[in-house]
Amino acid sequence: MTPISASTTPRVRTFADRATMGHAAATDVAANLRALLAVQPRVRMVFAAAPSQQELLDALVDAPDLDWSRVTAFHMDEYLDLPAAAPQRFASWLDHALFDRVPLGSVHRIEPGPDAQQTAREYAEALAAAPIDLVCLGIGVNGHLAFNDPPVADLADPLDVKVVQLDEVCRQQQVDDECFDTLAEVPHRAITLTVPRLLAAGRLFCVVPGARKSTAVRRALLDPIDSACPATALRTHPDCTLYLDRESAGQLPPEVGHAG
């Protein structure tokens, strides 16, 4: 992968509430998906699994005239050290939120086995089989992309998928998002797509609602591009749109972004 160097600011769209935000993002994703399906036989997409993506995915399920049978789906991260049937597993979350709700052509789930490094290598091979067209993602409260937290993020990572340790801010977010009852229940390890792997996709749709994300949004758009806030790397992608609600945009200066 090419190391990150150039800087281009994403398009920023701000909406009054997260429902409107999610619907607008889904409208754009669906339009891009239709356009791609009109000129190529298949589309390959990566999805984030998080409550912040719920409105986007709900609206995308209802979008008309999408031939999901020609879509191959991946997801961007998965916990380690959870039982296979644990409802907190991201593959399970996406099954309920999207994968079981539309007739996808194929779904590649991260299914951790006894050798996590081997799982990461095999998933990287599946991703590399053909270009990734679209990524639907969010930003963590610590500025992470997927599970690339500041302590482990490498904006020029040579790997496509790797095993990482989750930092405490990230783990606490899982409690605050009501995915786990206590911090002690949140796994310490995960498998994640790396930042360069995410940025290798043709187009990024980044959906970030809520006041708790406002600092990360401000840093992503205004801080120096650095692993201290991995989301700053979005500014290097040539085709990234950031969808915000009024709360997540609360710390941005008026000249950044526009309404609707």
Side-chain angles (χ1 to χ4, degrees):
M1 298 263 178
T2 303
I4 289 170
S5 56
S7 177
T8 57
T9 302
R11 294 177 294 274
V12 180
R13 301 185 64 192
T14 303
F15 300 88
D17 55 66
R18 61 187 291 164
T20 308
M21 172 208 67
H23 187 272
T27 298
D28 290 351
V29 172
N32 194 238
L33 183 51
R34 291 187 201 97
L36 289 171
L37 289 170
V39 297
Q40 61 191 56
R42 297 195 66 81
V43 171
R44 287 158 56 90
M45 301 180 67
V46 177
F47 293 93
S52 64
Q53 306 300 297
Q54 189 69 62
E55 290 81 7
L56 160 67
L57 298 179
D58 284 343
L60 196 55
V61 167
D62 292 333
D65 304 319
L66 290 178
D67 185 358
W68 287 105
S69 69
R70 293 161 57 200
V71 175
T72 298
F74 297 82
H75 59 117
M76 61 182 56
D77 43 18
E78 185 59 272
Y79 292 114
L80 293 172
D81 311 314
L82 276 181
Q88 296 93 343
R89 288 275 289 266
F90 286 153
S92 297
W93 191 92
L94 277 167
D95 283 343
H96 292 293
L98 180 69
F99 296 163
D100 290 343
R101 300 173 67 190
V102 294
L104 286 158
S106 59
V107 176
H108 292 269
R109 296 171 179 83
I110 302 174
E111 298 178 349
D115 185 340
Q117 298 292 350
Q118 180 64 24
T119 299
R121 288 191 294 269
E122 290 174 353
Y123 208 70
E125 290 172 2
L127 286 161
I132 298 297
D133 299 293
L134 308 175
V135 175
C136 297
L137 73 162
I139 296 174
V141 294
N142 62 0
H144 72 213
L145 299 177
F147 268 147
N148 296 283
D149 292 329
V152 299
D154 181 350
L155 303 193
D157 205 311
L159 297 174
D160 282 352
V161 184
K162 67 181 182 180
V163 177
V164 294
Q165 293 286 326
L166 305 180
D167 79 357
E168 187 165 326
V169 176
C170 172
R171 293 174 63 240
Q172 182 61 47
Q173 179 184 329
Q174 313 310 313
V175 178
D176 295 340
D177 284 346
E178 300 182 351
C179 299
F180 294 86
D181 292 331
T182 67
L183 184 63
E185 297 175 76
V186 183
H188 289 262
R189 300 191 305 151
I191 291 175
T192 186
L193 275 62
T194 62
V195 174
R197 175 70 263 184
L198 292 169
L199 297 187
R203 189 165 180 181
L204 307 181
F205 299 87
C206 188
V207 175
V208 192
R212 289 191 294 112
K213 302 289 184 72
S214 61
T215 297
V217 167
R218 173 181 54 77
R219 295 186 65 200
L221 293 174
L222 301 176
D223 277 12
I225 296 173
D226 187 81
S227 60
C229 179
T232 56
L234 295 173
R235 304 205 316 261
T236 70
H237 194 277
D239 199 348
C240 175
T241 305
L242 188 60
Y243 299 84
L244 308 174
D245 64 7
R246 188 173 294 155
E247 292 182 337
S248 61
Q251 296 188 35
L252 294 179
E255 65 270 19
V256 176
H258 68 279

